[in-house]
């Protein structure tokens, strides 16, 4: 086994959430692999663990034995001498912190501090909890219910110490809280140390005392983590590159199927729709991998594993490829059908004696959004969720796309197998990627990178050239020949600019002659057209290959993926969690607490009621992949949990100062904090801590967040980010269509502009229109408020929300049409008097309810739609319901920049 594979193996065996150690750093620090564990020590560890486990499993576990086991691991396994583990009064008070708003002091049980220098430096804070206390569960016997993991994170941030260790004896969690960077949680399990000794070697190599006191600074755990920060961006960028290549593979496969059908399949499909469909397939796979890894689907059920799971599908296809060769997979096409079945199963649900999967609904898995993916030309008649498609309708009569198993394998491996570069050259080392270790923000960043690419249909032959990862150009053959005719020097300068490669590398590539195998591949790519082959062969050494080894030659009529607008031009900019966290916290603190706005000290802050928290409206007006909104959901849901707990304590003053979950569950309250009445359909706060957190996140997503982005694909990526944050086993996707919308935040009409224009006409017709206008706005507000008044518990709730949104949009359609006319005329570039004349003419037809079919109306509407005009008060009428004081509670995010201009 190679050393790189050795490190990849143990990384895959531990639980990682957030950025951790990168492979290049591990290879530098441990070039021979992890430090070995003494065999006698392993035997002793097994005896100590078994004794502790037997005691903890007894009816009356001994706290003394629990304490002895924890000390044994710290002193004998990790090698910390008693003198190095400060406790009690020996721990400096500077390592304590008072959480004023919670009225609680946090302090470590033990601390490792480097000595022998002028100033002692705390290196590791240790928290010990009972074995019954889950490290990610709400804290028992404390008013503040934050989990041990989150309490350690708060302590580290407050004291400026980077590393913390939290344990209940079975789970040993390292908490990494670097200042100004994303935090991480890494867990080892004592039971696994004995089953997989490699995890024990990792535990002792990284957290042993020698790593803190006996190595150079860059080789300490803090130094390794600091060095790995730069490498984490490489991981995200590499994943983004792999996903882009996968999208290209899928589009080429669909294009090949279209070519085989005489170009009939995609005859009425725009290239932009094809690109969005391919990207949607990859987003579906991301959701499935994430849901399966988190136990939210049926992974582990033999029937699901064999016929639906994407995780097992990749394994099955890879085994076949390794045994029989990938070429065999090119002649099999059942894997694509299985993916389509899984997509439908997630959307519609499965109700069978042997397999029961609830319907998740949502636009992401809607089979009728891109029917051509199933070989259908139009959607079938709508059917109730869970009923499939009856015989003779929809997909049962469709000629399913012949997407090969080899293509499906590459789609799956692009997401699950990261090809990491090994220092010193050599082939990239495959590493299995865990979606549990990726932040939602990182996943969003991967897909944001695809927003600056588009699908294009070739009018002339186009060649894809080898370049850097950021510069892989597609250039027409005619353009290459024209540039080559200008002479070698000019041609090399042109190619250098296009590809980012050196002139020497380009000169060598132009002189390269293809071997026999490469000639065959190039002839196939040229569709065995001898004349085309002769033209293309001159650039054979410069052509990049696709994932199947074929040169990137796109013949006329073919669809290919290429860079479109730059990311800044699309308005997309990635913001890491290390920035979204403090911005959201400092923005929302004055809204969730009474006290900050008045300048009161923290100990006097008072958390607002659940009802007040759920009334907040927070918007990101240029949301991208929703990094800020995801953090809003996290922050507000945590405050909502605290508000529920505070309310429970207020309702149970005679029970105990800190009621147990069982006692707390007996106090039945609604999300708004009202005592439950027992009415049918009334939502009750669940007893289980994990269920409470999921419900809190879904409620916040339902009621509190709003977002807008100019790019329609960004809106879909934002929905995916929120869905990944609010996933709940057995519950459909949270409904977001009313809150996350596509539009240009800086272009649109406000209510004052619209009323001044629409009310500028006098007479009976005007009076009638004013009455109708108020009715339309009131109807839309009422429907949207009703939509937000309940959460999605089953697919019928999602359908009811969709119907209410449709009714609200229908009510507001005429108003938004008028706003489009008003803004569209302004966008035509006319002189002011010409604008006013056109608006006056349009107003008569508009108020009279005439169809907007005249040339002036069509010009104005086209201009507004092209700019994706967004009319805030009429898109979110419930937010602007209160005249004079309506609007959002807070705005978060990166502003929608206008290039080079200041925003007043």
């Amino acid at each position: 086994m190679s050393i790189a594979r050795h490190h990849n193996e143990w990384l895959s065996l531990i639980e990682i959430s957030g950025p951790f150690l990168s492979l290049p750093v591990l290879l530098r620090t441990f070039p021979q692999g992890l430090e070995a564990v003494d065999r006698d020590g392993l035997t002793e560890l097994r005896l100590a663990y078994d004794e502790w486990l037997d005691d903890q499993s007894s009816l009356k576990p001994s706290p003394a034995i629990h304490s002895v086991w924890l000390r044994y691991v710290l002193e004998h396994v990790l090698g910390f001498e008693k003198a190095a583990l400060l406790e009690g009064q020996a721990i400096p008070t500077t390592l304590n912190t008072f959480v004023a708003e919670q009225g609680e002091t946090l302090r470590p049980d033990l601390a490792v501090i480097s000595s022998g220098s002028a100033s002692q430096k705390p290196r590791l804070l240790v928290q010990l909890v009972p074995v019954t206390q889950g490290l990610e569960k709400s804290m028992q016997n404390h008013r503040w219910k934050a989990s041990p993991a989150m309490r350690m994170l708060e302590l580290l941030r407050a004291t400026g110490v980077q590393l913390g260790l939290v344990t209940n004896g079975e789970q040993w969690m390292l908490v990494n809280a670097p200042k100004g960077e994303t935090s991480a949680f890494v867990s080892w399990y004592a039971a696994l140390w004995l089953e997989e000794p490699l995890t024990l070697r990792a535990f002792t190599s990284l957290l042993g005392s020698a790593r803190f006191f006996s190595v150079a600074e860059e080789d300490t755990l803090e130094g390794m983590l600091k060095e790995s920060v730069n490498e984490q961006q490489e991981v995200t960028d590499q994943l983004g590159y792999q996903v882009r290549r996968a999208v290209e593979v899928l589009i080429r496969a669909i294009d090949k199927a279209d070519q085989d059908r005489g170009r009939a399949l995609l005859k009425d499909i725009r290239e932009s729709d094809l690109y969005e469909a391919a990207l949607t397939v990859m987003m579906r796979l991301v959701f499935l991998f994430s849901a399966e890894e988190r136990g939210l689907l049926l992974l582990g059920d033999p029937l699901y594993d064999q016929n639906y799971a994407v995780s097992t599908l990749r394994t099955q296809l890879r085994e076949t490829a390794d045994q029989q060769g990938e070429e065999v997979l090119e002649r099999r096409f059942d894997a694509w059908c299985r993916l389509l079945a899984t997509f439908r199963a997630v959307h519609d649900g499965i109700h069978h004696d042997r397999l029961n999967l609830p319907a998740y609904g949502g636009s992401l898995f809607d089979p009728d959004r891109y029917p051509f993916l199933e070989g259908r030309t139009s959607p079938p008649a709508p059917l109730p969720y869970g009923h499939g498609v009856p015989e003779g309708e929809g997909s049962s009569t469709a000629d399913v796309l012949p997407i090969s198993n080899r293509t499906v394998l590459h789609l799956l491996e692009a997401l699950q197998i990261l090809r990491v570069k090994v220092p010193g050259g050599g082939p990239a080392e495959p590493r299995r990627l865990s979606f549990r270790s990726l932040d939602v923000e990182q996943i969003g960043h991967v897909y944001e990178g695809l927003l600056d690419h588009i699908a294009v249909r070739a009018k002339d032959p186009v060649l894809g050239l080898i370049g850097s990862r950021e510069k892989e150009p597609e250039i027409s053959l005619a353009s290459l020949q024209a540039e080559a005719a200008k002479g070698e020097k000019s041609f090399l300068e042109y190619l250098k600019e296009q590809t980012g490669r050196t002139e020497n590398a380009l000169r060598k590539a132009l002189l390269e002659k293809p071997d026999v195998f490469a000639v065959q591949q190039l002839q196939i790519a040229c569709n065995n057209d001898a004349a085309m082959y002769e033209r293309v062969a001159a650039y054979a050494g410069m052509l990049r290959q696709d994932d199947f080894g074929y040169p990137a030659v796109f013949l006329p009529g073919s669809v290919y993926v290429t860079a479109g607008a730059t990311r800044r031009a699309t308005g997309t900019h990635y913001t890491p969690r290390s920035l979204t966290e403090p911005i959201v916290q400092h923005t929302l603190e004055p809204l969730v607490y009474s006290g900050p706005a008045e300048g009161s000290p923290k100990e006097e802050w008072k958390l607002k009621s659940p009802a007040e928290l759920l009334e907040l409206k927070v918007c990101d007006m240029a949301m991208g992949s929703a990094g800020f909104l995801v953090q809003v959901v996290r922050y507000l849901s945590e405050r909502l949990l605290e508000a529920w707990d505070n309310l429970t304590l207020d309702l149970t003053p005679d029970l105990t100062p800190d009621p147990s979950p069982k006692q707390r569950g007996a106090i039945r309250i609604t999300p708004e904090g009202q005592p439950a009445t027992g009415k049918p359909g009334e939502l009750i706060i669940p007893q289980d801590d994990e269920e409470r957190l999921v419900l809190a996140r879904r409620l916040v997503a339902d009621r509190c967040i709003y977002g807008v982005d100019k790019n329609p694909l960004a809106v879909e990526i934002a929905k995916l980010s929120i869905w990944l944050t609010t996933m709940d086993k057995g519950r459909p996707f949270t409904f977001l269509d009313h809150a996350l919308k596509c539009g240009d935040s800086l272009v649109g009409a406000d209510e004052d502009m619209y009323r001044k224009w629409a009310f500028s006409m006098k007479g009976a017709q005007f009076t009638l229109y004013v009455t109708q206008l108020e009715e339309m706005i009131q109807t839309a507000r009422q429907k949207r408020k009703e939509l937000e008044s309940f959460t999605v518990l089953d697919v019928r709730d999602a359908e009811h929300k969709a119907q209410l949104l449709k009714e609200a949009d229908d009510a507001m359609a005429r108003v938004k049409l008028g706003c489009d006319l008003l803004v569209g005329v302004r966008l035509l570039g006319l002189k002011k008097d010409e604008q006013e004349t056109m608006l006056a003419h349009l107003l008569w037809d508009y108020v009279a309810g005439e169809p907007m079919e005249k040339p002036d109306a069509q010009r104005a509407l086209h201009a507004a739609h092209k700019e994706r005009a967004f009319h805030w008060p009429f898109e979110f009428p419930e937010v602007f319901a209160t005249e004079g004081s309506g609007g959002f509670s807070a705005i978060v995010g990166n502003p929608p920049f206008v290039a080079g201009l200041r925003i007043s």
Side-chain angles (χ1 to χ4, degrees):
M1 178 189 294
S2 71
I3 300 302
R5 196 162 301 174
H6 161 87
H7 288 302
N8 282 331
E9 183 178 345
W10 71 260
L11 283 168
S12 68
L13 291 171
I14 63 176
E15 214 171 76
I16 304 171
S17 176
F20 191 43
L21 296 171
S22 67
L23 185 59
V25 171
L26 288 169
L27 289 171
R28 179 190 63 75
T29 312
F30 303 105
Q32 306 301 320
L34 296 170
E35 297 161 3
V37 176
D38 177 60
R39 186 170 297 179
D40 293 336
L42 189 60
T43 302
E44 185 179 297
L45 173 65
R46 185 183 299 276
L47 292 173
Y49 176 73
D50 288 343
E51 180 182 354
W52 170 78
L53 194 61
D54 288 342
D55 177 75
Q56 298 304 309
S57 304
S58 65
L59 293 176
K60 289 186 177 180
S62 167
I65 291 180
H66 182 61
S67 179
V68 167
W69 162 247
L70 298 179
R71 284 287 189 166
Y72 173 82
V73 173
L74 292 169
E75 294 175 10
H76 295 275
V77 177
L78 294 181
F80 288 108
E81 297 178 0
K82 287 186 179 182
L85 291 170
L86 302 186
E87 61 181 316
Q89 298 298 320
I91 299 177
T93 56
T94 54
L95 297 181
N96 301 341
T97 184
F98 180 61
V99 185
E101 60 270 33
Q102 304 297 340
E104 188 168 335
T105 298
L106 299 179
R107 54 175 60 88
D109 293 316
L110 302 166
V112 176
I113 298 181
S114 59
S115 57
S117 58
S119 59
Q120 294 187 330
K121 178 184 178 184
R123 305 291 298 280
L124 180 72
L125 305 185
V126 183
Q127 201 77 53
L128 311 176
V129 300
V131 69
T132 54
Q133 173 64 61
L135 302 189
E136 296 170 86
K137 299 284 188 180
S138 294
M139 198 72 173
Q140 299 170 14
N141 304 319
H142 287 264
R143 182 182 181 92
W144 184 30
K145 297 301 178 183
S147 68
M150 297 311 297
R151 297 164 83 88
M152 175 58 78
L153 181 62
E154 183 71 23
L155 178 61
L156 294 174
R157 286 175 171 171
T159 58
V161 182
Q162 181 174 343
L163 300 177
L165 183 64
V166 190
T167 182
N168 57 11
E170 177 59 46
Q171 183 180 3
W172 296 75
M173 177 186 284
L174 172 70
V175 181
N176 177 36
K179 188 176 181 180
E181 301 290 344
T182 303
S183 303
F185 305 86
V186 185
S187 290
W188 285 263
Y189 291 87
L192 199 60
W193 291 341
L194 304 172
E195 295 175 13
E196 296 283 355
L198 195 56
T199 63
L200 178 61
R201 291 173 63 183
F203 184 67
T204 56
S205 297
L206 297 176
L207 290 172
S209 62
R211 187 60 43 196
F212 289 89
F213 302 119
S214 305
V215 296
E217 186 174 346
E218 65 269 19
D219 291 337
T220 62
L221 184 53
E222 300 101 308
M224 295 169 64
L225 288 164
K226 182 179 180 181
E227 186 180 345
S228 295
V229 169
N230 298 328
E231 305 291 345
Q232 287 299 324
Q233 185 62 45
E234 172 69 19
V235 168
T236 307
D237 290 345
Q238 176 62 25
L239 180 59
Y241 176 72
Q242 290 182 191
V243 171
R244 194 188 83 211
R245 291 290 296 257
V247 169
E248 293 174 2
V249 165
L250 181 56
I251 287 179
R252 290 198 73 173
I254 297 174
D255 183 62
K256 178 66 166 56
D258 183 44
Q259 181 183 347
D260 293 343
R261 295 187 189 184
R263 297 295 179 191
L265 174 64
L266 303 179
K267 181 178 62 175
D268 300 319
I269 306 298
R270 296 178 302 176
E271 288 74 29
S272 59
D273 291 337
L274 177 58
Y275 185 74
E276 289 177 17
L279 189 55
T280 297
V281 169
M282 299 306 292
M283 287 195 286
R284 290 174 178 177
L285 294 177
V286 162
F287 174 83
L288 291 171
F289 276 127
S290 298
E292 287 179 0
E293 284 193 24
R294 299 176 191 183
L296 297 172
L297 291 176
L298 302 179
L299 193 65
D301 182 297
L303 195 59
Y304 178 82
D305 290 355
Q306 187 62 32
N307 299 283
Y308 293 98
V310 292
S311 303
T312 57
L313 176 59
R314 185 195 69 80
T315 304
Q316 292 163 7
L317 293 175
R318 175 43 61 193
E319 286 178 358
T320 302
D322 290 343
Q323 293 169 6
Q324 304 176 33
E326 284 197 12
E327 292 74 15
V328 172
L329 297 182
E330 285 196 50
R331 291 161 179 79
R332 298 178 183 174
F333 304 93
D334 57 300
W336 178 252
C337 297
R338 173 168 159 175
L339 282 185
L340 295 177
T342 303
F343 297 161
R344 276 186 171 264
V346 171
H347 186 266
D348 295 344
I350 301 173
H351 305 292
H352 191 273
D353 291 343
R354 295 179 59 196
L355 197 67
N356 190 31
L357 182 71
Y360 279 79
S363 59
L364 180 61
F365 285 93
D366 186 356
D368 295 334
R369 192 168 160 211
Y370 301 107
F372 64 87
L373 290 176
E374 297 184 343
R376 295 186 285 114
T377 55
S378 60
L383 293 161
Y385 281 103
H387 289 270
V389 180
E391 187 176 353
E393 293 186 29
S395 65
S396 61
T397 60
D399 187 5
V400 177
L401 293 176
I403 306 296
S404 73
N405 288 9
R406 190 180 189 188
T407 298
V408 173
L409 175 61
H410 281 256
L411 299 184
L412 299 175
E413 290 198 335
L415 289 171
Q416 212 173 27
I417 304 298
L418 197 69
R419 306 213 167 260
V420 183
K421 291 181 179 178
V422 178
E429 183 71 29
R431 169 182 165 189
R432 189 181 182 282
L433 185 69
S434 169
F435 280 88
R436 290 179 65 90
S437 67
L438 284 178
D439 276 338
V440 170
E441 290 87 344
Q442 286 179 283
I443 295 174
H445 177 42
V446 166
Y447 284 92
E448 281 184 352
L450 293 165
L451 297 182
D452 52 14
H453 282 71
I454 55 174
V456 177
R457 191 175 296 278
K459 296 179 180 179
D460 301 301
V462 173
L463 305 184
L465 305 185
I466 299 171
S468 63
R469 191 163 64 187
E470 292 74 27
K471 278 188 173 184
E472 287 190 332
E474 292 77 27
I475 304 174
S476 71
L477 180 57
S479 296
L480 283 174
Q481 291 176 323
E483 292 293 335
K486 296 178 182 179
E488 182 183 21
K489 183 178 179 181
S490 173
F491 189 37
L492 288 174
E493 289 177 356
Y494 170 78
L495 292 175
K496 180 181 179 181
E497 180 183 351
Q498 294 294 319
T499 65
R501 301 175 70 190
T502 65
E503 287 191 11
N504 285 337
L506 291 167
R507 187 179 291 106
K508 183 179 178 181
L510 285 170
L511 296 174
E512 187 177 323
K513 301 297 180 184
D515 58 25
V516 175
F517 178 75
V519 167
Q520 291 177 343
Q521 299 291 79
L522 188 56
Q523 287 173 337
I524 293 172
C526 293
N527 206 20
N528 292 314
D529 182 329
M532 180 63 66
Y533 171 79
E534 288 300 323
R535 293 178 64 194
V536 173
Y539 310 102
M542 299 188 60
L543 296 176
R544 68 172 183 268
Q545 295 181 336
D546 65 16
D547 285 6
F548 300 158
Y550 291 101
V553 177
F554 309 103
L555 301 179
S558 299
V559 178
Y560 64 96
V561 175
T562 189
T566 64
R567 192 172 306 185
R568 182 162 294 279
T570 66
T572 308
H573 184 69
Y574 168 60
T575 308
R577 186 171 178 175
S578 56
L579 287 180
T580 62
E581 268 189 350
I583 288 174
V584 167
Q585 176 188 340
H586 296 309
T587 301
L588 298 187
E589 272 182 346
L591 299 174
V592 302
Y593 293 103
S594 298
E598 295 76 23
S600 304
K602 268 195 171 185
E603 53 268 24
E604 295 180 13
W605 291 6
K606 185 177 180 182
L607 186 64
K608 293 185 178 179
S609 69
E612 290 174 297
L613 296 180
L614 289 172
E615 282 294 318
L616 294 174
K617 306 291 184 186
V618 184
C619 180
D620 184 346
M621 59 189 349
M623 64 184 168
S625 61
F628 280 98
L629 294 180
V630 164
Q631 190 56 36
V632 170
V633 171
R634 292 187 186 122
Y635 180 83
L636 282 183
S637 61
E638 288 167 5
R639 303 294 81 75
L640 185 58
L641 286 176
E642 293 172 15
W644 286 341
D645 281 325
N646 291 344
L647 189 62
T648 303
L649 289 170
D650 293 339
L651 292 173
T652 58
D654 300 326
L655 280 176
T656 171
D658 182 49
S660 67
K662 184 176 181 180
Q663 293 170 315
R664 194 175 62 198
I667 308 300
R668 295 165 60 80
I669 59 173
T670 67
E672 293 77 18
Q674 299 300 317
T677 61
K679 292 179 181 178
E682 187 176 45
L683 187 60
I684 308 297
I685 303 304
Q687 176 179 339
D688 180 78
D689 290 326
E690 197 165 322
E691 291 178 14
R692 288 159 77 92
L693 175 60
V694 172
L695 177 60
R697 287 183 172 181
R698 291 173 75 88
L699 286 167
V700 170
D702 272 337
R703 305 186 190 184
C704 302
I705 62 168
Y706 292 81
V708 182
D709 200 280
K710 189 174 181 179
N711 191 317
L713 275 178
V715 177
E716 296 306 311
I717 295 169
K719 290 179 184 177
L720 175 65
S721 297
I722 301 297
W723 284 331
L724 289 171
T725 306
T726 59
M727 282 194 298
D728 186 10
K729 189 171 187 177
R731 302 293 187 201
F733 293 125
T734 44
F735 188 81
L736 300 169
D737 291 353
H738 69 296
L740 306 186
K741 291 196 169 189
C742 181
D744 190 328
S745 297
L746 301 179
V747 178
D750 62 24
E751 194 164 352
D752 185 56
M753 289 168 57
Y754 173 72
R755 287 179 182 273
K756 282 182 179 177
W757 173 65
F759 292 2
S760 62
M761 184 173 64
K762 306 297 182 184
Q765 197 174 33
F766 162 74
T767 305
L768 175 63
Y769 179 71
V770 171
T771 304
Q772 292 174 337
L773 172 66
E774 297 303 332
E775 289 176 354
M776 288 185 285
I777 294 176
Q778 189 56 37
T779 298
R781 283 175 177 160
Q782 178 187 343
K783 296 294 182 183
R784 289 179 63 93
K785 284 184 177 180
E786 184 181 350
L787 183 158
E788 292 186 341
S789 68
F790 62 97
T791 192
V792 174
L793 298 180
D794 59 40
V795 78
R796 289 183 293 275
D797 292 328
E799 290 173 335
H800 185 35
K801 280 182 180 272
Q803 181 59 34
L804 288 170
L805 178 60
K806 182 180 183 304
E807 292 171 7
D809 288 345
D810 289 345
M812 199 61 80
R814 193 73 190 168
V815 179
K816 290 198 281 189
L817 174 65
C819 290
D820 284 343
L821 290 170
L822 176 61
V823 171
V825 170
R826 306 290 190 198
L827 293 171
L828 291 177
L830 305 174
K831 294 179 180 178
K832 187 172 183 179
D833 57 338
E834 293 174 330
Q835 287 183 9
E836 299 307 320
T837 301
M838 183 180 289
L839 285 172
H841 289 151
L842 291 175
L843 182 59
W844 283 97
D845 289 342
Y846 170 68
V847 174
E850 296 291 332
M852 296 291 103
E853 296 176 349
K854 293 180 180 178
D856 282 352
Q858 287 296 301
R859 286 174 61 204
L861 291 176
H862 176 74
H865 295 164
K866 182 179 178 182
E867 290 298 318
R868 302 188 190 277
F870 192 82
H871 318 295
W872 286 90
F874 305 121
E875 295 289 352
F876 302 128
E878 74 285 6
V879 175
F880 298 87
T882 306
E883 188 174 352
S885 61
F888 294 105
S889 311
I891 300 289
V892 294
N894 290 312
F897 294 102
V898 178
L901 302 178
R902 292 184 178 181
I903 302 175
S904 61

